[in-house]
Amino acid sequence: APVLLCNYMDVYQNEYITNNLKFMRGSASGAEIDKFSLRRGDVLITKDSETAEDIASAAVLADEIQNLICGYHLAILRPDKERMDSYFLAKTLQHHRVHNQFVTKANGVTRYGLTLSVINNAKIPVPPLIEQAEIAKILSTWDRAIEQVQRLIEAKQRQKKGLMQGLLTGKLRFPEFGEPSCNKAIPDDWKLYKLSQVAHIINGGTPSRKIPQYWGGNIPWIAVGDFSEVDRFISDTKEKITELGFRESSTNLLKTGELIISARGTVGAVAQLTKPMAFNQTSYGLRANTKLALNDFLFYLLRQFNHKITDISHGAIFDTITRDTFDYIELPFPNLHEQRKIADVLGKMDAQIDQLKKHLEKLLEQKKGLMQKLLTGEIRVK
């Protein structure tokens, strides 16, 4: 008979199994359906994993879902309703004291697994049923707030992606600047420039590792590990160099607001500096030619047209870009006023996304603290 499968990743990635999830479709025999059918209030845990830490992730089945069957590598815990609240159980299994019992007993070399006896013999602290339900209610309020902020972040990111696609190709324009380019590649008043025309390309370098006096100073020094695929700014670096290291090596200093683009490894990753920094030879510094381009605008343009860089850069061993690469990449530029407006709008969106991410971190931190106190009885719920 056709069934829906609740899989490992459904449990691993979610704390609540609801109707909104997209389940895999499969088929099962009558005996399998009898044995593995899921009911509302069941708690599922992952019983096999690549690492011991990932074992015993828990999720509660929050909705009644027709024809839903438990998939592989999962165990079903069906609480006795008169003694145990499902939501409380799922939360308690995530508490590190309980979770560590599973981690220490998970056996395996390449894969870790839990036996049924380990699951059956795990000890959990259990308050009265009414208190369990209250604790679960408090924690699920935090979960809902966390989920709302995550959804907001995703929505903002989609909105920003759409705006970037429109604004950086001229398909979408602010009315004061002219007509959008409906069926042309770019608007009539925009120009195509080579990257080497609109930006000064600056080389980086590494002070000798053999001379300790070059290292541990206060000049931030950027290596590829300091880049992030998502963040716009680099505000600090893992390593710092001294004035002497700076003077006696081939590195250069980029100013606040200037750009850096990775030339090896994750090719074409681009970031903007929040303060002056030196950098190594696996990246290039870009300083906008102020008559033609703004650093802020150039940052978003390079993010949008990143594929043009990566298409050119396929090297023999690993992808690389050289100084010549910048002669081959042509990008569309409006006038400086329009560049400013586009960069400001996208910058505001980035700032909003950052605020939401900070808010999310705070909520996650608060939830962690609450779980610690509520699930150990340090705070009792009246």
Side-chain angles (χ1 to χ4, degrees):
V3 292
L4 297 175
L5 278 175
C6 180
N7 278 329
Y8 184 94
M9 288 314 280
D10 296 326
V11 174
Y12 185 66
Q13 292 177 334
N14 301 286
E15 293 193 40
Y16 303 96
I17 305 293
T18 65
N19 271 315
N20 301 336
L21 297 180
K22 299 219 181 330
F23 297 104
M24 242 176 85
R25 294 180 179 278
S27 60
S29 68
E32 286 170 328
I33 291 173
D34 288 344
K35 191 172 178 189
F36 298 115
S37 271
L38 293 171
R39 303 179 203 160
R40 187 173 167 204
D42 282 351
V43 174
L44 294 164
I45 65 169
T46 57
K47 67 180 179 66
D48 298 291
S49 182
E50 302 286 325
T51 67
E53 275 64 39
D54 282 347
I55 211 129
S57 286
V60 65
L61 195 61
D63 292 335
E64 193 61 68
I65 303 170
Q66 295 301 313
N67 302 326
L68 185 64
I69 291 254
C70 179
Y72 297 114
H73 309 300
L74 299 171
I76 307 169
L77 308 179
R78 192 160 283 157
D80 171 350
K81 295 263 188 293
E82 289 174 15
R83 295 169 62 192
M84 175 66 72
D85 178 277
S86 300
Y87 290 83
F88 174 82
L89 175 61
K91 294 290 179 212
T92 291
L93 291 170
Q94 293 164 42
H95 189 271
H96 62 88
R97 273 194 209 160
V98 175
H99 192 246
N100 282 344
Q101 295 179 60
F102 296 117
V103 174
T104 51
K105 296 211 171 80
N107 52 38
V109 180
T110 50
R111 278 193 78 80
Y112 290 85
L114 289 174
T115 61
L116 281 177
S117 78
V118 169
I119 296 170
N120 283 329
N121 290 318
K123 288 191 166 52
I124 54 174
V126 181
L129 191 61
I130 192 160
E131 191 172 346
Q132 292 176 37
E134 278 304 312
I135 289 171
K137 202 162 114 189
I138 292 168
L139 292 174
S140 64
T141 308
W142 249 260
D143 285 334
R144 274 198 301 280
I146 286 164
E147 193 190 349
Q148 272 176 331
V149 177
Q150 282 167 331
R151 285 221 185 110
L152 266 175
I153 291 171
E154 283 160 21
K156 280 269 179 222
Q157 283 167 332
R158 280 196 300 276
Q159 195 185 354
K160 181 188 145 194
K161 192 178 173 190
L163 271 179
M164 280 177 75
Q165 278 166 350
L167 290 171
L168 296 166
T169 55
K171 299 268 183 292
L172 192 66
R173 286 185 89 181
F174 301 104
E176 66 263 38
F177 296 115
E179 293 295 312
S181 63
C182 296
N183 39 21
K184 300 191 186 95
I186 57 170
D188 292 336
D189 54 330
W190 285 33
K191 292 189 172 70
L192 283 172
Y193 287 119
K194 291 178 180 149
L195 258 183
S196 52
Q197 287 175 288
V198 292
H200 305 289
I201 320 286
I202 303 155
N203 284 26
T206 304
S208 168
R209 296 272 180 194
K210 293 184 179 136
I211 303 177
Q213 291 84 341
Y214 289 173
W215 295 90
N218 49 18
I219 299 171
W221 178 82
I222 303 168
V224 170
D226 296 309
F227 281 83
S228 141
E229 296 280 315
V230 284
D231 299 330
R232 173 177 175 182
F233 295 108
I234 293 181
S235 46
D236 204 6
T237 58
K238 292 184 186 67
E239 294 189 279
K240 310 259 192 307
I241 59 173
T242 60
E243 294 281 344
L244 186 68
F246 176 73
R247 282 202 308 275
E248 296 187 0
S249 71
S250 59
T251 187
N252 278 299
L253 202 66
L254 292 173
K255 301 187 189 111
T256 305
E258 291 181 340
L259 308 180
I260 183 158
I261 186 165
S262 62
R264 281 188 222 156
T266 318
V267 168
V270 62
Q272 204 167 6
L273 275 52
T274 59
K275 58 186 175 197
M277 297 186 191
F279 59 106
N280 77 5
Q281 65 283 4
T282 62
S283 301
Y284 290 102
L286 298 177
R287 180 174 292 152
N289 167 352
T290 50
K291 292 192 177 71
L292 300 176
L294 301 171
N295 285 316
D296 291 356
F297 177 79
L298 191 53
F299 166 79
Y300 287 111
L301 200 62
L302 288 169
R303 275 270 165 107
Q304 181 60 29
F305 289 103
N306 178 269
H307 59 275
K308 290 200 171 191
I309 300 163
T310 48
D311 289 351
I312 287 180
S313 72
H314 42 82
I317 306 168
F318 44 53
D319 293 349
T320 332
I321 51 182
T322 64
R323 288 185 77 91
D324 298 344
T325 309
F326 299 101
D327 293 331
Y328 292 110
I329 294 167
E330 270 197 335
L331 297 176
F333 286 84
N335 68 38
L336 292 174
H337 295 297
E338 193 168 354
Q339 287 185 36
R340 175 80 276 150
K341 180 101 186 217
I342 291 170
D344 284 351
V345 166
L346 295 173
K348 280 201 182 87
M349 291 216 75
D350 269 338
Q352 288 170 355
I353 291 168
D354 273 350
Q355 280 305 106
L356 286 168
K357 283 182 176 169
K358 285 194 180 107
H359 184 45
L360 180 63
E361 269 172 40
K362 207 164 163 185
L363 286 171
L364 288 165
E365 206 45 50
Q366 286 171 340
K367 181 191 160 190
K368 200 171 150 192
L370 264 178
M371 279 180 77
Q372 175 55 30
K373 292 189 164 77
L374 291 169
L375 297 172
T376 54
E378 191 183 323
I379 291 181
R380 296 298 296 268
V381 182
K382 296 282 186 290

